[in-house]
Amino acid sequence: MTTVQDILNLALANTHTNASQVGASNLITWFNIVRNYIRRKINTELNEHYFYDIWKTDAVANRANGEYLFPVGTPSQAGMDKLIKLSVKYKGETFFTPCTEININDFEARWDERLINQPKSNPVYYVADNSYFLAPNFTSDDLDSVSNNYQIKVEGIKKFVDLTANSTIAEILLPYDFFEVLALGLEQYIYKNRGLVALSAAAKNEFIYELDNAISDLAGRDISEMFANLPNTDDLE
């Protein structure tokens, strides 16, 4: 496999379907739905920040409200979905200083005052929508350079961008072992689109089963959390 189209073709072959029967635009829409479902499932089941990443961005002097946008994704580089940790450093410093997250509604001082007076030894931030607001604000004297200073470090969970049929498998950003599971996840939508309800339900059940197995293999341990059932042996008695 070299592109997303190869995974789409696998799903079509497994369901004995021609692309013209369901539509190319539908196929890539379903692919992105399944891909994001797998991403969320891995994050939930592993509970260990599998899609954790680090981004560094430029500090800007006198930024309006101290606001910076979450890193935005591209087809080959994930953006950020959730911020876990924020750190900054000032001119000439080697190490980053961790920032403390605050609840802006419980913060005693006015934010515009904190942008100026918050101690550099104890920077703070809060998150709203897809932005984080940082205090104190950087001044021109705090910057190592105007651009490419990378004095803000954000750590968080990746957010995927939708892909196209021509996207490479490297841009899928999932482990290679999940590619066949991706194809399997498409089958339920293909069958449903063709009106084959029973086959769609069966494909969905198989997808869930295989996805759970793939996640367990990825974890390298039993993640059933003691909820696994013993086999039913009634017929053997």
Side-chain angles (χ1 to χ4, degrees), residues 21 29 39 62 197 220:
Q21 291 178 266
T29 296
R39 175 186 62 84
N62 304 313
V197 178

Side-chain angles (χ1 to χ4, degrees), residues 39 43 49 51-57 66-71 79-88 97-102 123-134 152-159:
R39 175 186 62 84
N43 274 334
H49 302 323
F51 293 107
Y52 166 91
D53 208 344
I54 297 174
W55 296 262
K56 289 184 180 179
T57 190
E67 181 181 8
Y68 294 84
L69 295 176
F70 281 10
M80 188 175 72
D81 188 40
K82 176 183 178 182
L83 193 155
I84 296 175
K85 184 178 180 180
L86 178 65
S87 306
V88 298
T97 299
C99 303
T100 301
E101 184 176 9
I102 62 165
V124 296
Y125 74 96
Y126 69 92
V127 176
D129 297 325
N130 291 316
S131 298
Y132 55 91
F133 296 76
L134 176 64
I152 299 176
K153 180 172 71 173
V154 290
E155 302 170 51
I157 302 300
K158 295 177 183 177
K159 180 178 183 178

Side-chain angles (χ1 to χ4, degrees), residues 4 16 86 92 206:
V4 168
H16 305 286
L86 178 65
E206 186 179 1

Side-chain angles (χ1 to χ4, degrees), residues 75-233:
S76 59
Q77 175 65 47
M80 188 175 72
D81 188 40
K82 176 183 178 182
L83 193 155
I84 296 175
K85 184 178 180 180
L86 178 65
S87 306
V88 298
K89 64 178 181 177
Y90 299 97
K91 186 173 184 177
E93 294 182 345
T94 301
F95 302 106
F96 285 87
T97 299
C99 303
T100 301
E101 184 176 9
I102 62 165
N103 184 335
I104 190 62
N105 295 319
D106 298 334
F107 206 44
E108 295 179 359
R110 287 173 42 181
W111 184 249
D112 58 350
E113 294 176 351
R114 286 302 181 190
L115 287 173
I116 300 171
N117 299 325
Q118 183 68 24
K120 293 179 183 178
S121 59
N122 183 30
V124 296
Y125 74 96
Y126 69 92
V127 176
D129 297 325
N130 291 316
S131 298
Y132 55 91
F133 296 76
L134 176 64
N137 226 339
F138 284 86
T139 68
S140 56
D141 292 336
D142 295 324
L143 304 180
D144 286 327
S145 61
V146 174
S147 61
N148 299 323
N149 57 59
Y150 303 120
Q151 289 176 235
I152 299 176
K153 180 172 71 173
V154 290
E155 302 170 51
I157 302 300
K158 295 177 183 177
K159 180 178 183 178
F160 290 175
V161 298
D162 286 348
L163 301 181
T164 69
N166 293 324
S167 298
T168 66
I169 57 171
E171 294 170 334
I172 295 175
L173 301 178
L174 290 173
Y176 188 85
D177 291 344
F178 281 77
F179 291 175
E180 288 191 12
V181 180
L182 258 173
L184 188 58
L186 286 168
E187 293 180 17
Q188 60 181 304
Y189 294 100
I190 293 172
Y191 283 132
K192 187 174 183 179
N193 182 271
R194 294 176 56 192
L196 303 173
V197 178
L199 288 175
S200 176
K204 181 178 180 179
N205 289 336
E206 186 179 1
F207 165 67
I208 292 172
Y209 176 79
E210 293 298 339
L211 178 57
D212 286 343
N213 285 342
I215 291 175
S216 290
D217 290 342
L218 183 65
R221 62 186 184 280
D222 178 15
I223 59 172
S224 64
E225 298 181 348
M226 304 306 293
F227 288 107
N229 294 320
L230 293 174
N232 188 331
T233 59

